[in-house]
């Protein structure tokens, strides 16, 4: 119905252009990043995250992913530096992942995909009054992308995976206070950056992407817990496991990808 979209055969990424023609635009995301074709830019300073006073509010299943929302009524948690001209406020973070044994990151690196990808979504509250307004502006959003690869257990990810059973169904929301996503970052924040879009409808071309080069390591067991979520609501009769909720790489269309040193 209406602008319903998903990741299935009929409503998935190849069909999104019907309701969202910008899907075929000039700055769509994600992309395949080819390291030796990126341009190193020494003017690109480090990314600075001020998350120490961040206020997480809740964790939710929105029918596409699991999302942790933050209080964004002031500059208590911001990202700045790197390619950004202003501080951008943290609004939410969420994940994209594959099926059992399949990879599910959105960005790929020289054609290789990771098991999953974490997106920390920020908006430019200096220039725009609301997230919604920023989400339609060319410099409105900054998303920090972190790759997840499987290996040893991640010491802090259990704080997320232990809560997933409370948001199994689409539309479920539970309190999730006191979580600082800084614990989900790799030690090095070296990154690639380029101008792109939301990777889900409405696919607005409003994102300054900052993709961190080093992945974090999580266990297959931890990742498997994400797949206990379902795309469907509790009242619906069929349970569709939430997995492979990623958009494949889109055409670069002449864009430059810059690399921090
Ligand atoms: N996967 S992604 O990080 O590119 C991404 C981040 C945020 C959103 C999002 O907020 N979608 C809902 C939305 C979009 C525009 C305006 C709104 O008010 C809400 C979608 C995708
Ligand atoms: Zn995302």
């Amino acid at each position: 119905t209406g602008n319903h979209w998903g990741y299935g055969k009929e409503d998935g990424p190849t069909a999104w252009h019907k309701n969202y023609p910008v899907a075929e635009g000039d700055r769509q995301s994600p992309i395949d990043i080819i390291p030796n074709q990126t341009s190193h830019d020494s003017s690109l300073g480090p990314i600075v995250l001020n998350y120490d006073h961040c206020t997480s509010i809740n964790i939710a299943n929105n029918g596409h992913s699991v999302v942790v929302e933050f209080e964004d009524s002031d500059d208590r948690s911001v990202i700045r530096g790197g390619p950004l001209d202003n501080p951008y406020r943290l609004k939410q973070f969420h994940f994209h992942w594959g099926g059992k044994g399949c990879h599910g990151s959105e960005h790929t690196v020289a054609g290789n995909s990771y098991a999953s990808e974490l997106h920390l979504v920020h908006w430019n509250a200096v220039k725009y009054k609301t997230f919604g307004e920023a989400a339609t502006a060319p410099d409105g959003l900054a998303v920090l992308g972190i790759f997840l690869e499987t290996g040893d257990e991640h010491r802090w990810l259990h704080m997320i995976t232990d809560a997933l059973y409370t948001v199994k169904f689409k539309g479920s929301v539970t309190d999730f206070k006191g979580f600082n996503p800084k614990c989900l970052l790799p030690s090095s924040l070296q990154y690639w950056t380029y101008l792109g879009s939301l990777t889900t409808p409405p696919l607005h071309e409003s994102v300054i992407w900052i993709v961190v080069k080093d992945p974090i390591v999580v266990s297959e067991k931890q990742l498997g817990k994400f797949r206990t979520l379902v795309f469907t609501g509790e009242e619906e009769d069929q349970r569709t496991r939430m997995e492979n909720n990623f958009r494949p790489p889109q055409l670069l269309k002449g864009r430059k990808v810059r690399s921090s040193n």
Side-chain angles (χ1 to χ4, degrees):
T1 49
N3 285 350
H4 167 80
W5 62 272
Y7 290 95
K9 183 129 186 46
E10 307 291 316
D11 63 2
T14 57
W16 293 350
H17 70 97
K18 287 178 263 179
N19 281 323
Y20 305 93
V22 72
E24 296 170 336
D26 295 342
R27 57 174 278 190
Q28 288 291 294
S29 293
I31 59 169
D32 179 41
I33 297 168
I34 305 169
N36 65 22
Q37 291 176 16
T38 63
S39 41
H40 172 254
D41 184 336
S42 49
S43 76
L44 274 177
I47 288 296
V48 179
L49 300 174
N50 294 336
Y51 285 172
D52 294 348
H53 302 287
C54 71
T55 308
S56 64
I57 301 167
N58 60 40
I59 187 167
N61 177 334
N62 64 10
H64 311 296
S65 181
V66 56
V67 189
V68 174
E69 293 267 331
F70 287 80
E71 177 57 55
D72 64 346
S73 56
D74 62 28
D75 275 356
R76 68 181 69 192
S77 39
V78 296
I79 184 173
R80 52 164 59 96
L84 305 174
D85 293 339
N86 298 129
Y88 285 62
R89 263 183 210 168
L90 177 64
K91 167 115 178 77
Q92 53 105 320
F93 70 77
H94 62 271
F95 298 81
H96 302 264
W97 60 89
K100 193 168 171 18
C102 306
H103 283 182
S105 66
E106 298 214 295
H107 290 90
T108 55
V109 181
N112 299 303
S113 57
Y114 285 88
S116 172
E117 189 171 331
L118 160 62
H119 289 158
L120 293 136
V121 183
H122 309 75
W123 61 283
N124 187 338
V126 169
K127 285 182 70 174
Y128 308 104
K129 283 193 290 300
T130 64
F131 174 86
E133 186 193 343
T136 59
D139 60 351
L141 304 181
V143 181
L144 189 64
I146 311 284
F147 292 121
L148 280 66
E149 71 177 11
T150 48
D152 293 337
E153 183 171 297
H154 190 282
R155 70 166 36 203
W156 305 110
L157 191 67
H158 71 87
M159 294 175 74
I160 304 269
T161 56
D162 288 350
L164 294 179
Y165 78 97
T166 69
V167 286
K168 179 181 168 76
F169 298 102
K170 172 180 176 179
S172 42
V173 190
T174 41
D175 277 355
F176 196 71
K177 305 247 186 320
F179 183 77
N180 184 331
K182 230 174 173 167
C183 67
L184 298 179
L185 303 180
S187 46
S188 159
L189 290 183
Q190 295 301 333
Y191 60 90
W192 294 292
T193 184
Y194 75 99
L195 298 181
S197 73
L198 299 176
T199 66
T200 66
L203 300 169
H204 292 323
E205 298 187 325
S206 58
V207 182
I208 297 171
W209 275 98
I210 300 168
V211 180
V212 174
K213 295 181 182 179
D214 288 352
I216 59 169
V217 179
V218 307
S219 68
E220 188 50 62
K221 188 161 172 273
Q222 289 177 311
L223 207 52
K225 291 191 176 171
F226 285 87
R227 297 188 201 102
T228 62
L229 302 174
V230 293
F231 284 119
T232 43
E234 191 163 10
E235 71 293 339
E236 292 179 61
D237 50 7
Q238 102 259 59
R239 304 266 147 98
T240 320
R241 189 193 302 265
M242 188 178 276
E243 57 186 17
N244 298 309
N245 54 350
F246 64 91
R247 189 191 195 188
Q250 304 300 305
L251 295 174
L252 199 52
K253 298 206 175 170
R255 285 174 284 177
K256 279 264 163 291
V257 180
R258 292 185 291 162
S259 167
S260 71
N261 47 31

